[in-house]
Amino acid sequence: MTRIFDDPSNFASEALAGFAAANRQYVAPVDGGVVRSTEMNDGQVALVIGGGSGHYPAFAGLVGQGIAAGSVCGNMFASPSASQVYRVVKAAHAGGGVLLSYGNYAGDVLHFGQAQLRLNAEGIETRTVVVTDDIASAPIEELSSRRGIAGDLTVFKIAGAAADAGLNLDEVERLAKKTNYRTRSLGVAFDGCTLPGAGEPLFHVPERHMSLGLGIHGEPGISDHAMPSASELAKLLVGRLLEDKPDDAGNRVVPIVNGLGTVKYEELFLLFGKIEAQLKDAGLETVEPECGELVTSLDMSGLSLTLLWLDDELEQHWSAPADTPAYRKGHLEVRPHRDVEQLAEATTADVEPPTTAASGLSTGAAELLEALRAVVVEHEEELGKLDAIAGDGDHGIGMRRGADAAADAARAAADGESSVGVDRLLIEAGEAWAEKAGGTSGALWGSGLIALGQSLGNKDSYGSDDGLAAAVAFSQAITNLGKAEPGDKTMVDALLPYIAVFTEHNHSGAPLEQTLTAAAEQAKEAAQATAELRPKKGRARPLAEKSVGHPDPGAVSFGLIASAVAQAYKDLDGKGAQA
């Protein structure tokens, strides 16, 4: 359990500030994460890594000479926002292009991908290599669908060493992809982790059992097994990884025994000895192994084994020196420090000037977002528990962070000295949601609200056709970004039925109040019907069996919000407000 904090909602940001203060010789804080505080060579490739907080030493602990130029740091177990990625890259890049690398999680893919598009459009050549080392999350024929766990370290280390050696972006990207392909991991959990401020872990493992195939965001494993002896555990982990080895594997491997948070180092060392013996019996030579806490999950009781199959090229970069807060190897001459204030200034983005409109319309839009916030707050705990069944349990808190940020931004926009139009109010609300919530839901809801504002535009009044066009724009933003289809057990399974009913009622000439209510009822029914589906997207996919019988939390939250907005609009309309 995490005990040291003031406000749990500020845990990640305050921990990051303290980390930066304690490691000024390595890192400098910027808006969205940290970057190297030491100089880089002009024209050097910048490796920028990142993900949710709660995994130290990953990700900020690997920023420094020989590994990463910067790390984007999201909230607890939540992906950073696209704007955070953008700002960190702007401060980190040195003119040689940027390689983004992170674990293969939907929220990270969405946010980093959005930032990559923006950076490339601005002339900063940016590419991505996602880490897919976890063999439990998908079969080998679906290698690209696997999630990233402790194999992050091998990809980051080799890509970072290649960048520091002066290789160009093509070569750094090639080596990162090669390392990822030759890396395999498998983990076990003995009990779940507890988010700051929470009273209970995200899951429990039955006493004297272990959960095989855990994730690093508090996800339980895919199956429970009786607790083995150390020798049996070593045999299980090594055996499963060798069955999954890359087709060009040789006989030299880097074994990494990684503690998830509470397993003692002595236990990890004991297990490493058993693992090395298993590898030797299999005819494999171990090269520069690692044993310790490298990619954690708060206070999770568990561990993982990673194997990287080397060749001469990869071994050269794996063995290269590195000097970061959490990972040091060999010897590097310390480089001069950069101007920290200049780094912070580099993250400042252009701000679009506001549009003005009738204050009543903006106030009405802000009140609808207040209704959205209220229903999310009311059901936060329920949504978190539902998400914990087959995910990481953060849907409730993530939706709460996003709804709070959006409602606050909308209220500030509506009540400011220069009242903004409905379009700008919703765009600012969407940007705030994505920024503060992170994760998949943050990216989707943020993009949806932005699309809603862009569709509505800045008018003196709105009609039912405007409402339909805006709802369709919201839906298209969600589906285009998330790539989910009906039946995937996502928010889309409630969203598309909502749009269908909305369209039908609007074409029949029904009043918008009636249309919103009918569409919301359909969304809630469709959300409950997702209980019979097996998830095909997101973190719940590897735990499909546990998900069956329970509705999708994203679909449920959409249904709740749709109903709250319909009721709030009815209340507004009763006061004479325009649509």
Side-chain angles (χ1 to χ4, degrees), residues 177-265:
K177 288 180 176 178
K178 182 177 180 180
T179 304
N180 180 59
Y181 175 70
R182 296 170 71 98
T183 301
R184 304 286 193 271
S185 298
L186 181 63
V188 296
F190 312 122
D191 205 6
C193 61
T194 307
L195 290 168
E200 289 290 331
L202 293 175
F203 68 92
H204 282 295
V205 177
E207 193 170 347
R208 293 188 292 278
H209 282 71
M210 69 175 188
S211 189
L212 180 67
L214 75 145
I216 60 167
H217 297 89
E219 306 99 322
I222 57 175
S223 59
D224 291 339
H225 303 261
M227 186 66 197
S229 67
S231 295
E232 291 168 339
L233 179 56
K235 185 176 181 179
L236 169 66
L237 293 174
V238 171
R240 293 287 183 94
L241 293 181
L242 294 186
E243 290 173 0
D244 201 283
K245 67 181 180 181
D247 54 18
D248 59 349
N251 67 346
R252 287 178 294 161
V253 296
V254 175
I256 300 174
V257 175
N258 173 61
L260 270 295
T262 58
V263 177
K264 299 298 294 180
Y265 268 69

Side-chain angles (χ1 to χ4, degrees), residues 408-445:
D408 288 345
R411 181 56 61 192
D415 295 345
E417 293 182 6
S418 299
S419 177
V420 302
V422 170
D423 56 348
R424 192 64 212 166
L425 180 145
L426 289 170
I427 289 170
E428 290 184 8
E431 290 173 344
W433 189 311
E435 175 85 12
K436 296 300 182 182
T440 304
S441 64
L444 295 177
W445 276 94

Side-chain angles (χ1 to χ4, degrees), residues 195 202 372-403 433 441 445 491 527-528 530 550-562:
L195 290 168
L202 293 175
L372 183 157
R373 184 207 322 242
V375 76
V376 168
V377 169
E378 180 184 354
H379 295 277
E380 176 184 357
E381 184 176 355
E382 169 194 335
L383 293 171
K385 289 180 178 178
L386 186 59
D387 188 38
I389 293 168
D392 56 12
D394 73 339
H395 186 68
I397 191 172
M399 290 293 290
R400 168 69 180 271
R401 285 194 296 259
W433 189 311
S441 64
W445 276 94
M491 170 185 174
Q528 291 304 312
T530 62
H550 303 278
D552 176 69
V556 170
S557 61
F558 176 78
L560 291 169
I561 289 170

Side-chain angles (χ1 to χ4, degrees), residues 235-488:
K235 185 176 181 179
L236 169 66
L237 293 174
V238 171
R240 293 287 183 94
L241 293 181
L242 294 186
E243 290 173 0
D244 201 283
K245 67 181 180 181
D247 54 18
D248 59 349
N251 67 346
R252 287 178 294 161
V253 296
V254 175
I256 300 174
V257 175
N258 173 61
L260 270 295
T262 58
V263 177
K264 299 298 294 180
Y265 268 69
E266 287 86 351
E267 294 178 279
L268 298 176
F269 293 144
L270 186 154
L271 181 63
F272 182 86
K274 308 294 185 182
I275 287 171
E276 185 181 47
Q278 289 288 327
L279 294 172
K280 184 176 180 180
D281 289 346
L284 297 173
E285 174 189 353
T286 62
V287 179
E288 296 196 24
E290 295 288 345
C291 184
E293 291 185 347
L294 299 160
V295 181
T296 63
S297 186
L298 285 175
D299 61 342
M300 181 180 283
S301 178
L303 56 90
S304 62
L305 172 63
T306 298
L307 294 180
L308 163 63
W309 277 265
L310 292 173
D311 60 12
D312 291 342
E313 182 179 44
L314 296 185
E315 184 172 353
Q316 172 191 349
H317 295 296
W318 176 254
S319 302
D323 189 25
T324 73
Y327 189 92
R328 298 163 196 171
K329 178 181 285 191
H331 175 72
L332 281 169
E333 183 177 345
V334 178
R335 305 202 63 179
H337 280 70
R338 297 192 276 179
D339 185 332
V340 175
E341 291 186 4
Q342 187 179 35
L343 293 175
E345 290 174 1
T347 66
T348 303
D350 294 334
V351 178
E352 184 178 335
T355 57
T356 60
S359 60
L361 291 174
S362 296
T363 299
E367 289 188 24
L368 293 178
L369 285 168
E370 285 290 356
L372 183 157
R373 184 207 322 242
V375 76
V376 168
V377 169
E378 180 184 354
H379 295 277
E380 176 184 357
E381 184 176 355
E382 169 194 335
L383 293 171
K385 289 180 178 178
L386 186 59
D387 188 38
I389 293 168
D392 56 12
D394 73 339
H395 186 68
I397 191 172
M399 290 293 290
R400 168 69 180 271
R401 285 194 296 259
D404 278 343
D408 288 345
R411 181 56 61 192
D415 295 345
E417 293 182 6
S418 299
S419 177
V420 302
V422 170
D423 56 348
R424 192 64 212 166
L425 180 145
L426 289 170
I427 289 170
E428 290 184 8
E431 290 173 344
W433 189 311
E435 175 85 12
K436 296 300 182 182
T440 304
S441 64
L444 295 177
W445 276 94
S447 297
L449 286 177
I450 291 170
L452 199 68
Q454 290 171 336
S455 174
L456 288 171
N458 183 25
K459 298 182 178 181
D460 292 331
S461 64
Y462 299 96
S464 295
D465 288 343
D466 294 312
L468 175 59
V472 170
F474 178 93
S475 175
Q476 289 177 340
I478 299 296
T479 54
N480 290 342
L481 186 60
K483 309 298 183 186
E485 298 178 354
D488 283 348

